[in-house]
Amino acid sequence: MSTTRSTAAGKVLKVLSTFDREHQTQTLSEIAQRTDLPMSTAHRVVMELAGWGAIERGDDGSWHVGLRLWEIASGCPQTQILRDVALPFMQDLYEGTHENIQLAVREGTELVFVERIAGHRSVELLTMVGSRFPIGSTGMGRVLLAHAPRHIQDAVLDAPLRSWTPHTVTDPKTLRGQLVRIRREQVFVSDRQLSESTVAVAAAVRIGRTGPVTAALGIVIAAGNASRARGLREPALRAAFAISDELGRRAKTTG
Amino acid sequence: MSTTRSTAAGKVLKVLSTFDREHQTQTLSEIAQRTDLPMSTAHRVVMELAGWGAIERGDDGSWHVGLRLWEIASGCPQTQILRDVALPFMQDLYEGTHENIQLAVREGTELVFVERIAGHRSVELLTMVGSRFPIGSTGMGRVLLAHAPRHIQDAVLDAPLRSWTPHTVTDPKTLRGQLVRIRREQVFVSDRQLSESTVAVAAAVRIGRTGPVTAALGIVIAAGNASRARGLREPALRAAFAISDELGRRAKTTG
């Protein structure tokens, strides 16, 4: 009895899980196939989710995440508080650069982009809000990795590192040295590590100036202008400090 | 059997529903109370949701929406495509004004804020991303109402309209006249309708210049400067047109 119940709830979550970054729109048979559920079961679960508004049907009959689920999920404090605090400072950085300004958090050995500001002139990126990347692959990821617990660092460095471009550092020893430098200098210029066309300038965001690292802030510009990237180290660091200070103040007020 | 399963899935959605704007952090007993589920059942569902990452436990033992659910939900196309297209134009408006720039969509007789840009100097607002308001109460809402199907307009205008400030228009006849004017002038200055301290300048966003209205764009400034508000009609309208054009181009490409 308990198993049946638990299974039914599990199926709901299983169906929801299929709506990931690569499958934002799916037909019923795709959902059935990807969950390994019989069509009739998948249909029933889909209808229940639709009845609640978690998913909606497009004009072509396929399914996507609905506004109701988005509303509930937008209350996620990890993204909401960060976003509220960081956004004005990210706006300042944007106005000063007109580049992509990004904010990401770590989940295990991956990073998740929780906010992005971009204008007409900002360089096109592989990343987007809500997307995940291996933490070792991006400049912001390496900042998060540099401040991650030892077992996370070991998990990343003991596994083969993916080479995204000919410039990607994949040697664990070189990467370990980079992490030491990131912790010392507090800001990091990541040159064409994820894409041939971009350079990221990333800094750690803490809760208070000396508290735990909770996010990474990054400015992403077109590759090929090394002195410009270097010049953005100072503004990136200043903004990260300002966000950290404000997060620290809020933590004190509510804690 | 089918009922049991359906009930179990329903319970999952019931528990998720409790995490609304006013209850972003809840203890297990609050969840049990608000869902009307026995503590043991609420506990089981909470544990299943937590196991999947839909909800997470804070340091104080209470529950909140987790990053995993936020990630899945951030794939909601209604908010994602709009956001992608609108953001650069919203940035331009922000740089020109340093005020709150907002984007909202209609759901039934309510509006949901899907994006907000705000700086250090922007006026404090009642609204926030993911929050809902009755469509008749805000400037952006009235723009959406002006372009809503007849049965939605009737539902809003036949019900008593809430008076948020002494200035809120609550007379259905006056409001109907306002809706006609909004459709004609395409941009609307909403003076202290939701709060004594704010004025909104709102315009409709369409899919293409003459397509269906899909969102409302708004600039919200501090009350007390009528000529400034009037001066923002033109930039708001221009930005709304630019977003509409781009949405129209995308609809053609993918449709």
Side-chain angles (χ1 to χ4, degrees), chain B residues 93 96-97 187 189 199 201 219 221 225-238:
Chain B
L93 273 186
T97 61
V187 58
V189 177
V199 170
V201 183
I219 310 175
I221 66 172
N225 191 338
S227 75
R228 172 134 202 269
R230 275 195 306 275
L232 290 173
R233 288 168 55 109
E234 188 60 34
L237 195 56
R238 258 205 318 273

Side-chain angles (χ1 to χ4, degrees), chain A residues 155-229:
Chain A
V156 171
L157 293 162
D158 291 349
L161 289 155
R162 175 167 165 190
S163 179
W164 296 78
T165 76
H167 314 281
T168 309
V169 172
T170 54
D171 170 48
K173 220 179 133 192
T174 314
L175 197 46
R176 278 199 193 270
Q178 212 171 56
L179 300 185
V180 172
R181 212 173 66 232
I182 290 172
R183 283 191 295 270
R184 192 178 58 227
E185 301 182 356
Q186 305 195 67
V187 58
F188 174 56
V189 177
S190 178
D191 189 1
R192 294 166 294 172
Q193 295 293 293
L194 182 66
S195 145
E196 277 282 7
S197 56
T198 56
V199 170
V201 183
V205 169
R206 296 171 183 270
I207 300 174
R209 196 63 73 94
T210 54
V213 168
T214 185
L217 176 73
I219 310 175
V220 186
I221 65 173
N225 190 338
S227 75
R228 172 136 202 269

Side-chain angles (χ1 to χ4, degrees), chain A residues 124 128, chain B residues 80-89 207-208 243-255:
Chain A
E124 288 274 338
M128 59 192 306
Chain B
Q80 197 189 25
I81 299 171
L82 248 183
R83 186 184 190 280
D84 270 11
V85 170
L87 207 53
F89 299 100
I207 299 173
I243 297 168
S244 303
D245 289 346
E246 180 61 29
L247 285 174
R249 264 192 293 277
R250 294 220 184 178
K252 257 187 219 144
T253 322
T254 60

